């Protein structure tokens, strides 16, 4: 059967991708952020899965704001990189896995998650920046096929943290029920605390972020119990993206091993975090 071997939580700030694309990783304003990625990248390079699933949100680039599903899953053979108004990022298009995608759709629907299914989808920075955090220089192709799992975090009412955690648990069950003997990595994206508009524009909450970084490993149920309003109050209106980390964490075992984590402020006007977890039982 298929197995989730790791989970990676990471921010998807567009300026992180721009910094990589423009060769600014050693720039004094960015070096500490990218140095913080290095241990995770080294470990991931030695643990390439057969397929990855990226839990992300679109930013009105692949999906029109007139049609924002609560949850959606891609079933395409290929996902083009979206042009977000200033040219597409110089990274490869994404190869999908339609067979696994269809299995996930059927399993999740049977598990009471009524998904929107995307047979065509362009993916924006919410998807490609996490892939670049994983693999800085993919060359002509990303390390493996990738399946997009979309979550609405931009239009009210967003799904609750509890619902996202339950989606993750259902995703884990769906992966484990896949009959092929493959390995899967799951990326949960977005966050950390930030607010881009309104009277709290520029808001960042390092204390909350620190709590979240610890609890996502040791007590995700505590995070899942938070209301939508409490998340926005503590993490900012865009910080609610952190619910997508809970999808990743729910797909993993109750006990995981942290490989690496790091926190950087600010990436643009956002708190940026990374947390990498090994889902396999430690060797005796």
């Amino acid at each position: 059967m298929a197995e989730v071997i790791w989970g990676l939580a990471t921010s998807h700030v567009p300026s992180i991708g721009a910094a990589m694309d423009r060769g600014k990783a050693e720039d004094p304003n960015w070096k500490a952020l990218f140095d913080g990625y290095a241990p995770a990248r080294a470990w991931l390079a030695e643990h390439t899965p057969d397929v990855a699933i990226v839990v992300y949100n679109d930013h009105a680039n692949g999906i029109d704001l007139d049609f924002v599903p609560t949850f959606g899953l891609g079933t395409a053979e290929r996902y083009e990189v979206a042009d977000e108004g200033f040219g597409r990022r110089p990274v490869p298009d994404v190869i999908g896995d339609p067979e696994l995608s269809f299995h996930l759709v059927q399993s999740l629907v049977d598990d009471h998650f009524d998904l929107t299914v995307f047979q065509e989808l362009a993916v924006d920075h919410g998807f490609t920046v996490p892939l670049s955090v994983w693999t800085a220089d993919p060359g002509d192709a990303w390390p493996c096929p990738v399946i997009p799992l979309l979550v609405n975090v931009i239009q009210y009412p967003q799904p609750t943290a509890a619902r996202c955690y339950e989606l993750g648990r259902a995703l884990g069950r769906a992966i484990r029920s896949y009959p092929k003997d493959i390995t899967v990595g799951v990326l949960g994206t977005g966050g950390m605390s930030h607010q881009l508009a309104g009277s709290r524009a520029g808001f960042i909450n390092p204390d909350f972020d620190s709590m979240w970084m610890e609890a996502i490993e040791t007590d995700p149920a505590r995070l899942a119990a938070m209301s939508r309003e409490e998340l926005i109050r503590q993490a900012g209106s865009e910080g609610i993206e952190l619910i997508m980390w809970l999808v990743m964490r729910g797909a993993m075992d109750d006990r995981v091993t942290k490989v690496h984590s790091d926190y950087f402020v600010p990436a643009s006007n956002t708190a940026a975090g990374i947390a990498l977890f090994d889902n396999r039982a430690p060797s005796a």
Side-chain angles (χ1 to χ4, degrees):
M1 67 179 185
E3 174 192 14
V4 176
I5 59 170
W6 53 252
L8 175 66
T10 178
S11 304
H12 63 220
V13 184
S15 59
I16 294 174
M20 283 187 273
D21 298 343
R22 297 170 185 173
K24 293 185 176 294
E26 295 296 318
D27 185 286
N29 293 321
W30 288 105
K31 181 173 170 51
L33 172 76
F34 290 109
D35 286 350
Y37 290 164
R41 284 172 165 172
W43 189 91
L44 289 165
E46 297 180 357
H47 299 84
T48 301
D50 295 308
V51 184
I53 298 169
V54 176
V55 185
Y56 84 109
N57 69 285
D58 179 75
H59 300 79
N61 293 300
I63 303 170
D64 191 277
L65 286 176
D66 290 334
F67 175 70
V68 181
T70 301
F71 300 119
L73 195 136
T75 60
E77 293 184 354
R78 187 182 192 92
Y79 305 94
E80 293 186 356
V81 175
D83 181 345
E84 301 186 44
F86 40 85
R88 54 168 283 166
R89 290 191 63 211
V91 295
D93 286 339
V94 178
I95 302 302
D97 186 331
E99 185 177 351
L100 177 57
S101 289
F102 182 77
H103 170 82
L104 295 178
V105 169
Q106 181 172 342
S107 296
L108 290 170
V109 169
D110 289 347
D111 215 350
H112 312 296
F113 282 90
D114 300 327
L115 302 171
T116 299
V117 178
F118 290 90
Q119 299 182 58
E120 294 183 4
L121 181 67
V123 292
D124 68 6
H125 70 268
F127 190 94
T128 64
V129 169
L131 291 181
S132 293
V133 171
W134 169 11
T135 303
D137 185 9
D140 294 331
W142 298 106
C144 66
V146 187
I147 295 171
L149 175 55
L150 296 94
V151 177
N152 167 36
V153 300
I154 61 174
Q155 285 193 344
Y156 186 88
Q158 302 92 337
T160 63
R163 188 64 172 158
C164 288
Y165 189 47
E166 285 304 314
L167 173 60
R169 288 187 171 276
L171 176 64
R173 291 191 291 270
I175 292 168
R176 290 190 296 273
S177 70
Y178 189 57
K180 289 190 176 181
D181 187 17
I182 63 170
T183 56
V184 179
V186 181
L187 293 84
T189 74
M192 297 187 83
S193 63
H194 64 298
Q195 181 151 329
L196 302 180
S199 61
R200 294 202 305 168
F203 173 79
I204 290 175
N205 188 347
D207 290 339
F208 176 84
D209 292 336
S210 177
M211 180 280 295
W212 187 279
M213 290 281 276
E214 179 179 353
I216 197 70
E217 175 190 359
T218 61
D219 193 8
R222 173 188 176 189
L223 305 178
M226 297 183 69
S227 69
R228 182 187 300 113
E229 292 74 20
E230 180 65 13
L231 269 169
I232 292 173
R233 189 160 43 245
Q234 294 284 350
S237 54
E238 282 71 36
I240 197 173
E241 292 171 350
L242 286 165
I243 59 177
M244 297 186 288
W245 289 32
L246 285 167
V247 181
M248 175 276 297
R249 186 63 181 87
M252 304 179 75
D253 295 342
D254 290 341
R255 296 185 64 181
V256 296
T257 301
K258 185 170 73 172
V259 176
H260 176 69
S261 65
D262 195 61
Y263 182 74
F264 179 86
V265 174
S268 182
N269 55 356
T270 302
I274 182 172
L276 173 61
F277 304 107
D278 189 338
N279 198 46
R280 299 162 300 174
S283 301

